[in-house]
Amino acid sequence: MAGKPKLYYFDGRGKMESIRWLLAAAGVEFEEEFLETREQYEKLLQSGSLLFQQVPLVEIDGMKMVQTRAILNYIAAKYNLYGKDLKERALIDMYVGGTEDLMGFILMFPFLSAEDKEKQRAFIVQKATSRYFPVYEKVLKDHGQDFLVGNSFSWADIHLLEAILMVEEKKSDVLSSFPQLQAFKRRISSIPTIKKFLEPGSQRKPVPDDKYVETVRKVLRMYYDIK
């Protein structure tokens, strides 16, 4: 029997967090090795494990996988979270692409100056409420089902819940005008594997703090401010 997947990344969210979410939702236990020093990162580079010289890196089923979307695609397909046919997969890809774009606005937030953070916070909320959340609200209202695609729990649902929670950290009442998404959030959060992942003590990472930012900068030698 294959061992648990092993995740190589920082002790924080970043691009690895969606991978953690997907594995947890599938009920898959995983191990993590946190990058804390430049030497650890260089060792991975020298081993040839980082195909494009970057993390995330996930060891799974005898493979050393990089590129976040490739990793997520593999996990979703392996654990039947990727639709039943090509049409459903296409819809899942579209919906995940949208939430991925939204989360992209948040990814670099911890690395901004205090002034830029306030500007970016307003930008994130504006984009969420005017461009992204209305799409998912309409999808759920129009088909009247519990899930985004095929009335089956999929990667699209997991990714949307992750995005919702991330935006709520920027503005707690951001769903006030989206009743379908409020109900969706309650439903998906009550799924046993998701509920477990949302509980204290899970492998879900907290909002990135100064220590996380300092570690990433040190390991990747990011000596500049994000604009």
Side-chain angles (χ1 to χ4, degrees):
M1 181 180 293
K4 297 177 183 178
K6 187 170 183 180
L7 284 50
Y8 295 82
Y9 201 69
F10 306 99
D11 187 9
R13 291 183 182 175
K15 291 191 172 183
M16 186 65 87
E17 189 70 356
S18 291
I19 297 169
R20 297 184 185 106
W21 267 88
L22 195 53
L23 286 168
V28 178
E29 294 183 357
F30 56 89
E31 300 175 348
E32 299 189 76
E33 181 172 316
F34 298 126
L35 299 181
E36 298 175 340
T37 66
R38 178 70 185 183
E39 288 71 28
Q40 284 177 285
Y41 178 66
E42 289 179 345
K43 185 176 180 180
L44 285 176
L45 287 173
Q46 292 163 7
S47 73
S49 297
L50 303 183
L51 193 62
F52 300 105
Q53 302 179 27
Q54 59 192 21
V55 288
L57 167 66
V58 175
E59 290 184 355
I60 184 171
D61 295 341
M63 298 184 292
K64 293 184 178 181
M65 296 193 69
V66 295
Q67 292 295 332
T68 308
R69 179 53 82 97
I71 297 166
L72 290 166
N73 286 349
Y74 182 81
I75 295 168
K78 178 179 174 69
Y79 295 105
N80 300 314
L81 294 169
Y82 210 174
K84 68 177 185 296
D85 55 34
L86 282 175
K87 287 186 177 180
E88 288 194 358
R89 182 167 293 193
L91 288 172
I92 289 169
D93 283 339
M94 285 197 302
Y95 297 150
V96 166
T99 43
E100 187 176 64
D101 289 346
L102 176 56
M103 286 194 276
F105 298 136
I106 304 173
L107 184 64
M108 301 311 296
F109 185 87
F111 298 88
L112 299 174
S113 67
E115 180 181 356
D116 287 340
K117 279 182 179 179
E118 288 310 304
K119 294 178 183 177
Q120 186 70 359
R121 186 189 310 275
F123 177 82
I124 289 164
V125 172
Q126 189 272 328
K127 288 297 183 184
T129 56
S130 67
R131 177 182 293 183
Y132 295 100
F133 288 172
V135 172
Y136 305 108
E137 180 79 4
K138 186 176 187 301
V139 168
L140 292 166
K141 184 177 180 179
D142 286 353
H143 66 37
Q145 297 175 334
D146 289 344
F147 306 105
L148 285 172
V149 179
N151 205 27
S152 297
F153 182 49
S154 75
W155 174 22
D157 303 304
I158 300 160
H159 217 244
L160 177 54
L161 178 61
E162 182 187 1
I164 287 171
L165 296 179
M166 289 174 72
V167 179
E168 283 187 328
E169 289 169 350
K170 302 295 179 272
K171 189 175 189 292
S172 60
D173 65 347
V174 73
L175 290 186
S176 60
S177 299
F178 300 100
Q180 296 292 333
L181 288 181
Q182 292 175 39
F184 172 87
K185 176 189 168 185
R186 290 192 295 269
R187 284 196 302 274
I188 304 304
S189 297
S190 67
I191 291 172
T193 53
I194 298 288
K195 184 177 180 180
K196 182 179 179 181
F197 190 59
L198 292 173
E199 291 173 350
S202 78
Q203 287 170 287
R204 183 186 178 212
K205 304 307 175 193
V207 176
D209 58 12
D210 290 344
K211 181 181 178 182
Y212 167 79
V213 170
E214 181 183 349
T215 300
V216 173
R217 286 186 182 278
K218 177 179 65 177
V219 173
L220 299 183
R221 291 180 175 168
M222 293 170 56
Y223 301 128
Y224 53 88
D225 291 329
I226 302 298
K227 296 295 184 182

